[in-house]
Amino acid sequence: QVRLVESGGGSVQTGGSLRLSCALSGYTWNKHCIGWFRQVPGKEREGLAAVDNRGRTTYRDSVKGRFTISQDSPKLTVFLQMNNLKPEDSALYYCAVETKDYCSSGFFWQNLADYWGQGTQVSVSS
């Protein structure tokens, strides 16, 4: 059974940093596109960053330069380092994986992921 478990969320002030983790289990690591998404109640889910099994990354324009996605393959874990956080970054953050060896252009906007985590809350105060 594939499981994704997010952690690392919390409350910070504007300009602060958080590092989110997404730990996978029950998944074959050699073929994946893993991404981070966020959602605020009443708004559409946003794709933020993704990494494939070759280490290639892609980002949403609005988080480029502030967010960095990385992976620790031996630990089956993907990270999202978030710097210079703003109140508008407050949301429930999810990780998700598509069983594919690259991240397609639609990964952020289409429901392509095969598995999702339960999310971790991030709150940024002004």
Side-chain angles (χ1 to χ4, degrees), residues 17-117:
S17 298
L18 285 172
R19 188 192 195 205
L20 306 183
S21 298
C22 173
L24 282 79
S25 59
Y27 187 80
T28 302
W29 189 252
N30 62 358
K31 189 176 182 180
H32 63 261
C33 170
I34 299 176
W36 284 95
F37 298 76
R38 68 186 179 193
Q39 189 165 22
V40 175
K43 293 190 176 182
E44 288 190 359
R45 185 175 61 208
E46 293 183 330
L48 303 172
V51 60
D52 67 21
N53 48 282
R54 299 182 186 180
R56 295 173 296 192
T57 58
T58 185
Y59 294 92
R60 187 183 192 89
D61 285 347
S62 63
V63 303
K64 283 180 181 177
R66 296 194 300 127
F67 291 8
T68 303
I69 191 169
S70 61
Q71 58 188 349
D72 184 336
S73 296
K75 295 184 178 179
L76 306 186
T77 302
V78 174
F79 304 98
L80 185 68
Q81 177 67 43
M82 305 187 296
N83 297 328
N84 191 23
L85 284 162
K86 306 173 183 180
E88 53 264 40
D89 293 317
S90 298
L92 187 61
Y93 283 68
Y94 299 89
C95 61
V97 60
E98 182 184 8
T99 309
K100 204 168 187 178
D101 60 2
Y102 68 94
C103 293
S104 62
S105 59
F107 183 70
F108 284 169
W109 296 280
Q110 301 174 26
N111 191 23
L112 299 178
D114 299 302
Y115 305 98
W116 289 84

